[in-house]
Amino acid sequence: MMAVADEPHSLAELCAATELPRATAHRLATALEAHRILARTSDGRWTIGPTLTTLSLGGQDQLLDAAAPVMTDLMGTTGESVQLYQRTGTTRTCIAAQEPATGLRNRVPVGSQLPLTAGSGAKVFCAYISPALSSVILGEAAFSERDLELVRERGWAESVSEREVGLASVSAPVMDTNGSLVAVLSISGVAERLRPSPGKLWGEELTAAAKRLSAAL
């Protein structure tokens, strides 16, 4: 399982990472897939499955407890929906969300898995994952390496009608004390309210909230 934690692996790559014979690696991977611990990507490589996603969500009490007041304040300041994501293989999973009580808003249910190929949250994840995995994702992504460089320079990413027409968002990284990416904090809403630049509108407030959450961890 740890072999595919950072990026999907082919069977040959699994054998190299685990030093297991090909037949043994295939048998174990197939058994883990049957229990939904591993899953297959569209190109047939092995990655983290939904069972581990569920377990990881249940083990994030500290993160969720620290995030709740930060997200509440951010929602109150912006009037927009706020989400917290973690990476699960080649997707990002919403582990917490808060939406305003009234008005048009973007609703992302907790547990939703979104691709890493589009959206501001995807850009933040891709800016901080391994170069090998980032390179694979960029081959199908709606953004470029230059976009990822901008994320690292500015501390936030934005998108308008990139993942879904009519929606816009801005996202920022949440780091641990070692400077490793723990989660991604996002503000999202109707594109008409956030255009032309969600980042210029709320980037400062979002990055301050993400730093506050990082410090709480």
Side-chain angles (χ1 to χ4, degrees):
M1 293 177 288
M2 294 303 297
V4 299
D6 289 332
E7 58 186 296
H9 279 19
S10 66
L11 181 57
E13 291 168 334
L14 273 179
C15 294
T18 61
E19 299 183 351
L20 291 171
R22 185 179 182 88
T24 303
H26 185 269
R27 176 173 55 80
L28 291 175
T30 301
L32 291 173
E33 182 185 17
H35 291 284
R36 296 164 57 85
I37 294 174
L38 294 184
R40 297 282 193 112
T41 62
S42 58
D43 59 0
R45 292 180 298 166
W46 302 97
T47 189
I48 294 295
T51 295
L52 285 185
T53 298
T54 301
L55 290 175
S56 67
L57 295 180
Q60 297 301 323
D61 290 346
Q62 180 187 6
L63 174 60
L64 295 178
D65 289 346
V70 175
M71 295 175 68
T72 298
D73 290 346
L74 192 58
M75 182 184 65
T77 298
T78 64
E80 302 290 354
S81 300
V82 179
Q83 297 88 27
L84 187 67
Y85 295 96
Q86 285 193 309
R87 185 171 69 87
T88 46
T90 54
T91 64
R92 52 188 169 115
T93 298
C94 179
I95 63 170
Q98 295 192 21
E99 294 92 21
T102 60
L104 290 174
R105 56 195 183 276
N106 177 35
R107 184 173 183 273
V108 181
V110 172
S112 297
Q113 288 186 298
L114 304 179
L116 291 183
T117 52
S120 65
K123 292 174 188 174
V124 176
F125 279 112
C126 286
Y128 294 98
I129 58 178
S130 69
L133 180 54
S134 177
S135 177
V136 171
I137 293 172
L138 281 172
E140 303 176 358
F143 45 82
S144 66
E145 176 59 41
R146 177 53 185 159
D147 293 317
L148 304 186
E149 292 174 2
L150 286 174
V151 174
R152 293 185 285 265
E153 291 172 8
R154 299 185 299 197
W156 51 262
E158 65 179 357
S159 66
V160 178
S161 294
E162 185 173 284
R163 183 179 64 83
E164 186 174 337
V165 175
L167 295 179
S169 65
V170 55
S171 300
V174 177
M175 304 292 199
D176 64 15
T177 54
N178 297 316
S180 299
L181 185 68
V182 173
V184 171
L185 185 64
S186 299
I187 298 168
S188 65
V190 179
E192 288 302 318
R193 285 201 303 265
L194 298 176
R195 73 170 71 244
S197 174
K200 290 182 179 178
L201 184 61
W202 295 119
E204 183 176 346
E205 290 79 2
L206 175 64
T207 54
K211 289 177 180 177
R212 175 184 164 195
L213 177 52
S214 296
L217 299 178

